Amino acid sequence: MQLHIDEFTLKHPGVLAIGLNEGAARALPPSLAAAFGGELERLLDDQDFKGKAGVSVTTRALGRVAATHLVFVGQGSGSVADLRLAAGAVGHFAREQGVREVSFAPAGALSESAAEAIVEGLITGNYRYDRFFAESARKAAIERFVVLSPNASLAALETGRVLGQARSVARDLVNAPAADIYPETLAAFAAGLASERVSVDVWDEVKVRDAGMGGITGVGQGSDRKPRFVHMIYRPAGKSRGEIALVGKGVTFDSGGLSIKPTDGMLTMRCDMGGAGAVIGVMSALEALNLPITVHGIFAAAENMISGNSYKLGDILTILNGKTVEVLNTDAEGRLLLADCLSYASKLPVSHIVDLATLTGAAVVALGEHYTAMYADDDALAAALSQAAAESGEGFWRMPLEPLYKELIKGEVGQLKNVGGRLAGS
């Protein structure tokens, strides 16, 4: 997508979007208002438009200006999060109309973070996974985006583009069917990101087993498509200011194993590799962002399937760190992959490890679909992640992580068991 900065004019084709703040005097650009002779003000009044973040009113331009469509979109308070919502609404409308060019006139000057958010939000709203639609049913994506704010930073807009595209990488991987994205192909996609500053090491099922990764081996042994372990490393161009690890769950399809899921519960289990997809998305962006720290991206990819070789209830799996885990539910498999990955990551010279996973429906029961459960034993890190989530338009909610919960997973045959009961399930 091409990015441009310009002054406000009526000469831009495609969608012309006008941002308006909530609670502020409604001031349309004078040249636009004059072109419609008061009709736009009446339209906004008729629609009771208040400028709430992400709420929009649209109309055809009818030849009065170069644009084919006008979008009036609420910027709320004008915060970074509200601007992201506003741009997302514009991107969504443009994709619905199949319009390739969008111009956006924000209310007020744009800080660097606001400029980033606008482009990121636009790409997020414009996203569609339509590769299996008929060609005639596909709507064009935005190819050119013009910010009508002369003092905006083009570098900030470019950062927003990188972030938005990284999110689209993760979304494409999550949306793809399990026939396309399975352990070997997910690892191959990650390997395809290798560059001068990103290295990728892929282990096959033999190396995984010989290394002592019993969780990955156990979960993946029931599938004809064998598991993979992937370690990606981004190294900055200059001296590294620190080192962190991101760890992702990569169950490319989860049938539940012998503890099989019902049809409704299995329907979207191609998405159970969302944590690994997020890690890959992050790693795809780091070189362009020129991040000054070393980042390890780690994930295990496996299919949890049913066969004569599936792991069974009552099996004892030995994790990379030597701990033994008694299997009481084969549908509690993601934690077994993560146990090996986290054990591996803990041996690296990193200051922090963050793992991302579609780990358990119990988290959704607790918090619904708009918040992600966060567990942390580091208050400063938890606070930083919460702040970053809020700035990114995400909802994090910190959950209790107390030693007393360890009693719930104390094993009878192994040292641990892989489920602790219904209460405090997440």
Side-chain angles (χ1 to χ4, degrees):
M1 184 174 69
Q2 298 176 3
L3 298 172
H4 301 274
I5 296 172
D6 200 355
E7 295 182 349
F8 184 87
T9 74
L10 302 181
K11 297 179 180 180
H12 294 287
V15 170
L16 173 60
I18 309 297
L20 297 169
N21 287 335
E22 187 174 17
R26 186 191 298 158
L28 301 182
S31 58
L32 180 64
F36 284 83
E39 292 178 24
L40 298 178
E41 289 87 342
R42 287 192 292 274
L43 170 68
L44 296 177
D45 287 338
D46 289 344
Q47 297 294 320
D48 197 28
F49 179 81
K50 302 293 187 185
K52 186 176 179 181
V55 174
S56 62
V57 172
T58 65
T59 183
R60 287 273 184 176
L62 302 175
R64 310 271 185 99
V65 296
T68 55
H69 299 80
L70 299 178
V71 178
F72 300 93
V73 64
Q75 292 186 180
S77 66
S79 68
V80 168
D82 285 352
L83 280 165
R84 185 182 290 105
L85 280 176
V90 174
H92 178 83
F93 175 80
R95 192 60 177 261
E96 289 294 303
Q97 301 299 320
V99 178
R100 290 183 167 87
E101 181 162 342
V102 172
S103 302
F104 184 70
L110 291 180
S111 65
E112 288 200 3
S113 57
E116 286 179 22
I118 282 179
V119 181
E120 186 184 355
L122 183 89
I123 292 172
T124 301
N126 197 237
Y127 176 86
R128 292 291 183 279
Y129 188 75
D130 59 4
R131 58 175 285 209
F132 294 105
F133 288 6
E135 189 70 34
S136 60
R138 298 180 191 176
K139 299 292 182 68
I142 295 171
E143 296 176 355
R144 188 171 190 268
F145 181 51
V146 183
V147 176
L148 304 178
S149 182
N151 296 322
S153 162
L154 192 58
L157 296 179
E158 176 61 21
T159 297
R161 186 188 65 81
V162 171
L163 294 173
Q165 290 182 340
R167 181 176 290 189
S168 294
V169 166
R171 296 171 93 178
D172 280 348
L173 291 171
V174 170
N175 282 322
D180 288 351
I181 296 296
Y182 47 91
E184 184 179 357
T185 57
L186 188 62
F189 187 94
L193 297 177
S195 67
E196 184 178 346
R197 287 158 61 185
V198 177
S199 64
V200 185
D201 188 17
V202 178
W203 296 8
D204 65 12
E205 73 275 16
V206 175
K207 189 167 183 179
V208 166
R209 182 196 64 213
D210 291 348
M213 293 179 160
I216 301 171
T217 300
V219 172
Q221 70 190 34
S223 175
D224 291 340
R225 290 167 165 164
K226 298 307 177 187
R228 295 291 186 269
F229 172 79
V230 178
H231 181 188
M232 310 173 73
I233 309 174
Y234 160 80
R235 296 177 176 89
K239 184 178 179 180
S240 179
R241 298 183 189 173
E243 225 165 313
I244 66 168
L246 304 177
V247 175
K249 173 187 171 184
V251 178
T252 58
F253 189 78
D254 182 16
S255 71
L258 294 177
S259 305
I260 191 167
K261 296 176 181 286
T263 297
D264 288 348
M266 203 188 301
L267 186 61
T268 58
M269 284 301 103
R270 71 186 188 281
C271 305
D272 211 16
M273 39 60 66
V279 169
I280 292 170
V282 170
M283 299 303 292
S284 75
L286 297 180
E287 192 165 358
L289 295 174
N290 199 27
L291 202 71
I293 65 171
T294 301
V295 181
H296 298 262
I298 296 165
F299 66 89
E303 284 189 336
N304 186 21
M305 299 293 283
I306 296 175
S307 75
N309 200 40
S310 296
Y311 80 128
K312 305 169 185 68
L313 301 175
D315 279 357
I316 306 296
L317 306 180
T318 303
I319 303 302
L320 180 62
N321 62 6
K323 298 217 174 195
T324 56
V325 181
E326 181 181 356
V327 177
L328 300 187
N329 187 332
T330 62
D331 196 22
E333 83 297 329
R335 62 205 69 183
L336 299 172
L337 302 185
L338 287 170
D340 279 328
C341 291
L342 291 168
S343 297
Y344 178 93
S346 70
K347 298 177 182 179
L348 300 174
V350 297
S351 60
H352 296 87
I353 301 173
V354 178
D355 91 59
L356 307 96
T358 50
L359 197 58
T360 169
V364 182
V365 171
L367 297 175
E369 296 183 341
H370 298 291
Y371 282 87
T372 294
M374 175 176 65
Y375 293 86
D377 60 1
D378 182 319
D379 291 342
L381 177 61
L385 287 172
S386 293
Q387 181 178 347
E391 292 172 355
S392 302
E394 302 283 352
F396 279 11
W397 193 269
R398 190 175 181 184
M399 304 285 275
L401 186 63
E402 299 291 337
L404 59 89
Y405 289 122
K406 290 183 179 180
E407 294 298 316
L408 299 177
I409 58 169
K410 189 175 289 185
E412 295 181 14
V413 181
Q415 291 172 269
L416 303 168
K417 53 189 181 183
N418 74 327
V419 290
R422 182 171 177 272
L423 300 180
S426 67

